[in-house]
Amino acid sequence: GDSVTQMEGPVTLSEEAFLTINCTYTATGYPSLFWYVQYPGEGLQLLLKATKADDKGSNKGFEATYRKETTSFHLEKGSVQVSDSAVYFCALHGSSNTGKLIFGQGTTLQVKP
Amino acid sequence: EAQVTQNPRYLITVTGKKLTVTCSQNMNHEYMSWYRQDPGLGLRQIYYSMNVEVTDKGDVPEGYKVSRKEKRNFPLILESPSPNQTSLYFCASSPTPTGRRSPLHFGNGTRLTVT
């Protein structure tokens, strides 16, 4: 079945460092891919999405490119801030008609001043 | 403000004592769903609803019930909670069930502890 694998956390960076969080997926067909962010004590918020191969999703300085050849959707940001500290989830919506999202296990990012 | 509201935010209960977690959305969304979040497992779907009176099981439905009598409300019912249902629960909604066009809107979560 469909699945998403994220890099293990936690990831600890200094402010202004470059961020990469790896995400790879397994799915039949052409899934849509998402990154959600969860700030402490809050629900998940959509950060960005891509619905077809080679699409680049971007928001708030974060980017991710849908790479079908490597089945990846890595999240990147050029210069992280303390306020980016959160848990990041990669997710896919596949061929199911149930509206279900398949989530990775989440990666905790901590940014230190 | 468009939102998904869950109550309560925190709940501690004992094994076997029936409980209900409420979920309400004010966006007139047709689709609603419940997920549980556990460390190392991400989020897993419990139940979903395509519209009023239409509900179906997700990946981990055992021990849970839901109902959808009104479009805005989608309560999660634990008839006889057990310790393995200790988890963080999220309600979510979207205009349609197609994730491609309709990303999910999540509530702020309910942290349930069953002793």
Side-chain angles (χ1 to χ4, degrees):
Chain A
D2 297 349
S3 66
V4 174
T5 302
Q6 289 180 235
M7 62 186 289
E8 292 278 342
V11 173
T12 303
L13 296 173
S14 298
E15 208 164 21
E16 299 184 2
F18 185 87
L19 168 71
T20 300
I21 299 178
N22 290 338
C23 171
T24 57
Y25 68 90
T26 302
T28 55
Y30 301 92
S32 294
L33 302 173
F34 305 86
W35 277 100
Y36 279 83
V37 59
Q38 183 181 29
Y39 298 105
E42 298 184 11
L44 281 74
Q45 304 173 24
L46 178 65
L47 182 60
L48 53 85
K49 68 175 182 177
T51 58
K52 61 182 187 296
D54 300 325
D55 265 4
K56 177 186 282 188
S58 61
N59 187 26
K60 299 181 181 180
F62 291 90
E63 293 183 341
T65 302
Y66 189 150
R67 302 282 188 204
K68 190 161 180 64
E69 64 276 13
T70 55
T71 61
S72 65
F73 193 54
H74 305 321
L75 182 68
E76 297 181 336
K77 187 175 185 182
S79 176
V80 294
Q81 306 300 313
V82 172
S83 57
D84 293 327
S85 298
V87 182
Y88 292 82
F89 290 93
C90 185
L92 72 81
H93 179 265
S95 55
S96 163
N97 63 357
T98 68
K100 179 175 66 177
L101 288 180
I102 305 294
F103 285 89
Q105 64 268 46
T107 301
T108 300
L109 171 65
Q110 184 177 20
V111 181
K112 296 187 174 181
Chain B
E1 180 188 352
Q3 59 186 1
V4 178
T5 303
Q6 294 179 230
N7 281 296
R9 291 293 306 274
Y10 302 92
L11 180 57
I12 300 174
T13 190
V14 296
T15 299
K17 186 176 181 181
K18 180 179 178 179
L19 65 91
T20 299
V21 183
T22 64
C23 174
S24 181
Q25 50 91 7
N26 62 1
M27 296 168 280
N28 201 37
H29 285 171
E30 289 188 355
Y31 180 86
M32 297 185 75
S33 183
W34 278 101
Y35 286 81
R36 60 177 288 173
Q37 180 183 357
D38 300 292
L41 296 177
L43 282 78
R44 294 175 292 168
Q45 191 184 54
I46 302 171
Y47 268 94
Y48 65 94
S49 170
M50 296 286 194
N51 213 324
V52 176
E53 302 290 3
V54 182
T55 64
D56 210 342
K57 297 176 181 179
D59 292 329
V60 287
E62 295 78 19
Y64 305 95
K65 286 174 56 177
V66 294
S67 69
R68 187 92 182 273
K69 293 184 172 58
E70 307 162 283
K71 198 170 189 178
R72 63 184 293 127
N73 295 324
F74 190 45
L76 180 69
I77 303 155
L78 284 72
E79 294 271 3
S80 182
S82 63
N84 65 11
Q85 293 177 297
T86 292
S87 187
L88 180 57
Y89 291 86
F90 288 101
C91 181
S93 72
S94 67
T96 71
T98 306
R100 183 183 303 270
R101 297 181 181 83
S102 307
L104 287 174
H105 298 256
F106 283 84
N108 283 341
T110 295
R111 185 166 293 280
L112 171 65
T113 302
V114 183
T115 61

